Amino acid sequence: MLGEVVIIGGGPIGCWTALQIKMRNPKARITVYERKARYERDHVLSIKKASFLQWSKGGEHNTEFMRAIFGAQAILQIADGKSPNIDDIPNNRLAYWRHLPRILDIRTIDFERILKAECLRQGITHINAEVKSPDDIMAAHPACDTFIAADGAHSKMRTAIFGKDSLTTRDIYPSFDFNWVAVGQPTLLRINTFDKLGRPYAENIGMMGDNGKTHVNERLIASWAEYAAMPKATFKEPLIVTPDAPFWDAMPKSRRYNGRTLKDDFYDLVRLRAQHAGEVIDETQPIKLSKVPLSQYCAKRFAKQVNHNGKTRTWYLVGDAAMGMPFYRSVNSGLILGAQLGYLLSTRFENKAAIYNHFTRPFRIAREFINIRRTEYKILMYKEVWRPLMHRLAKGPLAPLVKWPTDWAVKHLKYGKCS
């Protein structure tokens, strides 16, 4: 029988993992440590419906959780200002799960709030404190044999337990992230842009906060030449975007799209969003630019047994501490891995660390890498073949036959954030 479990990191994946363990081990004593009293990231997560499948198998007393998830979905509000009608759904967990969209968009803070409320109902202890080292937390819980690191991509626990070279990383696409604040609640840009912009983009529109402002993120896929020409720009130290910023001059022109530059695409995208998405940029806040090489990474091991004061303790990794995936896959991977770990810890197998490393890890990585490769090739085909072709056709005599059906299709898509 599972006794005590300590989880480092109380974000969505840490809370989800705690709940998955508690659902299968009601008598387990679970403590979650989180250094921040309130989760600060406020963007919109894209979660596949299938990622909630493990929860839908829970008892009927978990209906309230699925009802809260259904009621918090944000995509309809961001797309066209509509909210889901929760009163039309029968009040049971499977009905809520069945009526979720294939891809659910939900604010990070809403998801974290719902998970924490469920943790409280299930008797899971939350402690707001920073865990500085594995030794400190193992000393604080001398009777605990099971520790889980869910402390994010820059996991201190992973580095301390597994070493500084514990990750395998692969860069996929170079991109530029533009972030700004809008007044009110803008919507998604539901028009085709292949005849207007020279680069594909993906947008992530937040939900309006209590201050009447919304965070907007527009990611433009770039070339490696453009990426190299752009000066250093990180999320912590971004460049400030203005029409006369000097970094624009270093950007090469696109031969495929009639000499368009990154500056042309960005400001045209801003104008399109003002015209078609009801966006008003808050001019008191700067527009920030970061360079992002979309990457995937995974830890070389997901579990490790360590000796502390003469006692064997087992450490497990979940969420971004274990693996990070682009294209909105990280949260889905984290939910699935957390559910799998919860199931594994509830079994009677002796060497759970070896199973997690040699069975769960390779299958999870293979599945995610296949998903990423599939998305990568789709983007490549769209970027190198389909989009340039549509751009040429839209400039010729066949333009009406090309633009009308594609504009109609994008406008009537229920979901989708790229063009």
Side-chain angles (χ1 to χ4, degrees):
M1 179 181 294
L2 191 64
E4 185 179 6
V5 178
V6 173
I7 299 176
I8 315 304
I13 301 304
C15 291
W16 170 268
T17 303
L19 289 167
Q20 290 293 323
I21 296 171
K22 191 69 172 179
M23 285 167 61
R24 293 173 171 82
N25 305 272
K27 294 184 179 180
R29 302 184 310 279
I30 303 175
T31 304
V32 178
Y33 282 84
E34 172 56 44
R35 65 187 180 92
K36 296 179 180 179
R38 183 178 183 272
Y39 198 70
E40 295 178 352
R41 299 182 68 184
D42 186 13
H43 60 281
V44 177
L45 299 169
S46 294
I47 305 176
K48 280 195 171 183
K49 175 181 177 177
S51 299
F52 288 115
L53 185 58
Q54 294 291 336
W55 192 275
S56 71
K57 294 179 180 178
E60 283 296 337
H61 64 284
N62 291 320
T63 295
E64 187 171 348
F65 172 82
M66 288 307 298
R67 177 183 174 89
I69 291 293
F70 184 90
Q73 57 182 297
I75 182 64
L76 297 179
Q77 300 175 52
I78 296 173
D80 51 26
K82 297 179 181 178
S83 299
N85 190 354
I86 200 169
D87 296 328
D88 294 340
I89 309 299
N91 191 30
N92 68 76
R93 73 188 192 284
L94 287 175
Y96 291 125
W97 181 80
R98 285 197 301 267
H99 284 81
L100 284 175
R102 185 177 63 85
I103 298 179
L104 168 77
D105 278 18
I106 184 171
R107 290 174 70 184
T108 312
I109 56 173
D110 285 341
F111 192 36
E112 187 259 358
R113 170 182 53 80
I114 293 168
L115 288 168
K116 273 196 172 179
E118 189 64 29
C119 283
L120 182 63
R121 281 194 292 270
Q122 300 286 353
I124 295 170
T125 302
H126 270 73
I127 297 177
N128 288 121
E130 182 179 2
V131 178
K132 295 184 178 180
S133 73
D135 286 337
D136 289 347
I137 196 66
M138 287 188 288
H141 294 267
C144 180
D145 296 329
T146 303
F147 294 84
I148 299 172
D151 51 339
H154 304 288
S155 170
K156 292 182 179 179
M157 302 300 109
R158 181 190 64 219
T159 301
I161 294 292
F162 295 85
K164 294 182 178 180
D165 60 343
S166 58
L167 293 181
T168 300
T169 305
R170 183 177 78 94
D171 290 338
I172 300 175
Y173 280 120
S175 65
F176 297 120
D177 270 19
F178 294 88
N179 295 277
W180 63 84
V181 176
V183 179
Q185 177 63 70
T187 65
L188 296 169
L189 182 60
R190 306 304 292 272
I191 64 169
N192 273 306
T193 60
F194 56 81
D195 60 332
K196 304 175 182 69
L197 306 179
R199 290 160 185 80
Y201 71 92
E203 53 186 1
N204 195 343
I205 312 301
M207 293 293 293
M208 184 174 65
D210 296 336
N211 60 355
K213 307 291 181 65
T214 303
H215 289 278
V216 177
N217 168 260
E218 298 288 340
R219 172 171 291 172
L220 274 68
I221 303 297
S223 66
W224 284 112
E226 290 175 317
Y227 188 85
M230 181 67 71
K232 179 182 177 182
T234 65
F235 285 115
K236 290 185 177 181
E237 298 179 1
L239 295 173
I240 302 303
V241 177
T242 60
D244 57 351
F247 57 79
W248 294 126
D249 298 333
M251 293 295 101
K253 296 182 178 180
S254 171
R255 290 177 294 178
R256 181 176 291 169
Y257 292 98
N258 304 320
R260 293 189 64 86
T261 64
L262 180 66
K263 180 180 180 180
D264 296 331
D265 277 354
F266 172 70
Y267 282 105
D268 281 349
L269 181 59
V270 168
R271 283 189 284 271
L272 289 170
R273 288 197 52 76
Q275 182 180 354
H276 299 280
E279 183 168 272
V280 178
I281 295 179
D282 182 0
E283 296 183 355
T284 66
Q285 301 291 327
I287 299 175
K288 300 177 181 180
L289 166 63
S290 304
K291 296 169 60 173
V292 181
L294 295 179
S295 304
Q296 62 184 38
Y297 67 85
C298 63
K300 296 175 182 177
R301 284 192 290 173
F302 281 9
K304 185 177 180 180
Q305 291 182 324
V306 300
N307 185 282
H308 183 263
N309 292 338
K311 186 176 182 180
T312 300
R313 317 288 187 93
T314 305
W315 279 83
Y316 299 91
L317 302 178
V318 294
D320 285 350
M323 57 196 303
M325 299 292 142
F327 312 130
Y328 308 105
R329 282 298 310 168
S330 277
V331 64
N332 292 278
S333 174
L335 294 176
I336 296 170
L337 190 61
Q340 291 174 338
L341 180 57
Y343 176 77
L344 175 63
L345 294 179
S346 69
T347 65
R348 297 180 180 272
F349 295 122
E350 290 294 329
N351 199 340
K352 295 180 175 63
I355 295 172
Y356 201 53
N357 276 327
H358 303 302
F359 182 79
T360 305
R361 178 183 175 277
F363 277 91
R364 185 75 250 138
I365 289 175
R367 183 65 182 269
E368 288 301 327
F369 277 34
I370 289 171
N371 286 331
I372 295 305
R373 284 289 190 182
R374 185 183 299 121
T375 304
E376 185 181 349
Y377 290 138
K378 285 181 179 178
I379 293 176
L380 182 65
M381 287 297 295
Y382 178 74
K383 179 174 178 285
E384 301 297 333
V385 179
W386 177 251
R387 207 169 194 279
L389 175 63
M390 297 296 286
H391 178 78
R392 292 191 188 95
L393 292 175
K395 299 295 183 180
L398 295 178
L401 298 178
V402 172
K403 294 179 63 177
W404 182 87
T406 51
D407 285 342
W408 183 91
V410 171
K411 184 177 180 180
H412 290 83
L413 277 176
K414 197 171 185 180
Y415 310 105
K417 299 186 277 188
C418 303
S419 182

